[in-house]
Amino acid sequence: MIIKDEQLDTMLASIASQDWNGPSFNQRVEQEILERNHVMELRKRTMGMVGVVVGASLLSASVAAAVTHRIVSHRVPISAKIVLPDGRTAFVTGEAEIVLDDALDPTAPGNNELLTDPKQPE
Amino acid sequence: MEPTTGSRHSTNVSHLAIQFGGTMTETNSEDDLIEQAKHNPEAFGVLYRMHYTAIAGYLLRRVGDESDAEDLAAETFIAAFRAIGRYRNTGAPFRAWLYRIASNKANRWSGLRTRIAVPAYSASEEQDTESHSVIRNAIETLPSKMRTVITLAYWTPMSTSQVAEALSIAEGTVKSRLSRAKLALRQEIERQASQEGGER
C-alpha cells in the first residue's frame, strides 16, 4: 500500500476539523486562579494590617517618649536681667526647661551663680 | 490540506467583560491583559477564557479523547499561569505560546502512555474514526520535535512562520521538519497497513 502526499494531507485535515465540543471552562484552572487570587488578597490585607500595627506602635512609642520627657523635665518661670555690651540693660521673662541631670542640676554648686560679662563693670 | 500560510490570527479583546470578581480594570488589548496577568490572577482568568476552547481543541486532536484533552488543557493553563511572569512578547501571538505548552504536555503525556504500555489508539475506545486512530498512532512514532511541528502546523490555525516563532526556530527548519515528518508518517502508515494485511 502506497500513501500519497495528498492522502496524508486529507487524513491530517480530517482530524483538524475536529472541534472542541466540551465545556468552555475548566474547573481545575478556575480553582487555581481563585486560590491564587485569594492568597494575594490575603497577603495584601496582611501587609496592610502590618502597616497599621507598625504605625500605631511608632505613634504610641513617640507619645510615650513625649510624656516621659514631660514628666522628667521641669518647666519653671524665669526672668533675667541682661546687661548688653553697650551698657544698656534688658529684661527677659518666660519659661525655662530644667532637665534633671546631675550636670545640669540647678542645686549643684556653681549652677546658681550669676552670669556676668567679664568685660562689664560690676 | 497544507499548513496555514498567511495572515496572523489575532484575538479581539476590546472592552472585555470582567469575569473574575470584577476588581480588574477594563482593558482593550491582549498585551495589556498579559502585563496585568503577571500580577493579577483575574487578568489571567480572562486570558484563559479567551483561549481555552482553542487549546482544548488542539489537545483533543492530539489525544483523541475529550477527558484526556480536558486534563491536559488544565495542566497547560496551570503551567501557563505559573509561568506568565516569565512570558516575553517575541511578536508571536500569545496563543502560540499556549500551543507550545500544550504540545509539550501532549508529548509528555504520550511518552508516559508509551512507558506504561497503554494500548495504541483504537477507534471504539476513543470515540474516534479508524483513520484518526491510524494517523494518531503513526504520529506517536515520530520524534517529539517532528510531532510538535506537524501537529502545530496542521491542527492549529498557525502559519508556518508562526509555528517557527512559537518554537523559536527558523521557518526553514519548520519546513524541513514538516517534510521529514510527512515522509516518516507515510512510511509508518504503509508499514501498519502491510502489517495488518499480513495478519489477515
Side-chain angles (χ1 to χ4, degrees):
Chain A
M1 181 190 179
I2 302 293
I3 302 285
K4 289 182 182 168
D5 216 25
E6 297 77 40
Q7 282 176 291
L8 182 65
D9 281 342
T10 309
M11 290 170 98
L12 287 165
S14 75
I15 292 184
S17 64
Q18 259 190 320
D19 280 328
W20 178 255
N21 293 315
S24 59
F25 64 95
N26 191 301
Q27 207 68 50
R28 273 175 66 196
V29 180
E30 304 215 344
Q31 189 62 31
E32 178 87 10
I33 293 170
L34 288 174
E35 272 173 23
R36 176 86 68 87
N37 205 28
H38 179 68
V39 168
M40 285 181 79
E41 285 294 320
L42 210 65
R43 198 177 294 166
K44 259 190 234 168
R45 246 179 266 161
T46 310
M47 292 299 281
M49 282 180 62
V50 166
V52 168
V53 168
V54 168
S57 303
L58 286 173
L59 187 69
S60 57
S62 59
V63 167
V67 168
T68 310
H69 178 72
R70 184 77 185 156
I71 289 169
V72 299
S73 64
H74 296 284
R75 283 183 174 274
V76 292
I78 189 169
S79 62
K81 179 187 171 191
I82 297 173
V83 181
L84 299 172
D86 59 5
R88 290 181 298 160
T89 57
F91 285 96
V92 176
T93 58
E95 260 193 345
E97 190 176 284
I98 298 171
V99 179
L100 295 180
D101 184 292
D102 282 349
L104 295 174
D105 186 352
T107 61
N111 276 358
N112 284 330
E113 282 174 16
L114 183 66
L115 292 174
T116 55
D117 187 343
K119 291 175 191 168
Q120 297 303 316
E122 285 292 323
Chain B
M1 180 192 135
E2 283 296 313
T4 324
T5 50
S7 67
R8 257 165 204 281
H9 61 103
S10 61
T11 318
N12 182 12
V13 288
S14 58
H15 303 292
L16 280 165
I18 306 309
Q19 300 170 58
F20 277 84
T23 57
M24 213 185 75
T25 53
E26 258 195 15
T27 182
N28 52 13
S29 86
E30 191 176 55
D31 290 343
D32 290 345
L33 263 180
I34 294 165
E35 280 312 305
Q36 285 189 39
K38 292 180 179 179
H39 316 285
N40 183 354
E42 288 173 16
F44 186 85
V46 178
L47 286 171
Y48 136 76
R49 289 267 177 145
M50 281 162 53
H51 298 290
Y52 181 74
T53 309
I55 298 301
Y58 166 70
L59 288 163
L60 175 66
R61 285 166 222 134
R62 283 290 305 260
V63 302
D65 178 81
E66 198 176 291
S67 167
D68 288 335
E70 205 169 355
D71 281 348
L72 288 171
E75 285 180 25
T76 299
F77 280 98
I78 289 171
F81 185 37
R82 290 175 182 167
I84 189 80
R86 298 194 300 274
Y87 174 81
R88 296 284 169 270
N89 189 351
T90 55
F94 179 68
R95 189 173 287 181
W97 184 66
L98 295 173
Y99 277 133
R100 184 180 180 170
I101 298 173
S103 182
N104 289 340
K105 293 287 174 194
N107 285 346
R108 197 165 301 162
W109 176 86
S110 65
L112 192 69
R113 195 180 151 93
T114 311
R115 275 202 297 281
I116 59 172
V118 173
Y121 293 106
S122 69
S124 55
E125 183 189 303
E126 314 284 344
Q127 305 138 22
D128 212 347
T129 67
E130 190 64 39
S131 70
H132 288 180
S133 304
V134 168
I135 199 94
R136 284 202 188 94
N137 283 328
I139 282 176
E140 288 307 303
T141 65
L142 296 175
S144 65
K145 283 180 180 175
M146 281 190 201
R147 208 186 305 156
T148 299
V149 164
I150 200 158
T151 58
L152 288 179
Y154 277 88
W155 295 345
T156 74
M158 287 198 290
S159 64
T160 45
S161 64
Q162 285 174 334
V163 172
E165 282 173 356
L167 300 176
S168 310
I169 55 177
E171 196 174 345
T173 311
V174 171
K175 286 178 179 166
S176 68
R177 278 185 197 169
L178 265 180
S179 139
R180 277 185 285 137
K182 283 172 76 174
L183 180 66
L185 271 184
R186 281 208 309 271
Q187 288 170 344
E188 178 59 25
I189 294 167
E190 285 166 10
R191 192 192 63 77
Q192 281 182 23
S194 64
Q195 210 172 26
E196 277 178 18
E199 281 170 10
R200 281 174 199 156

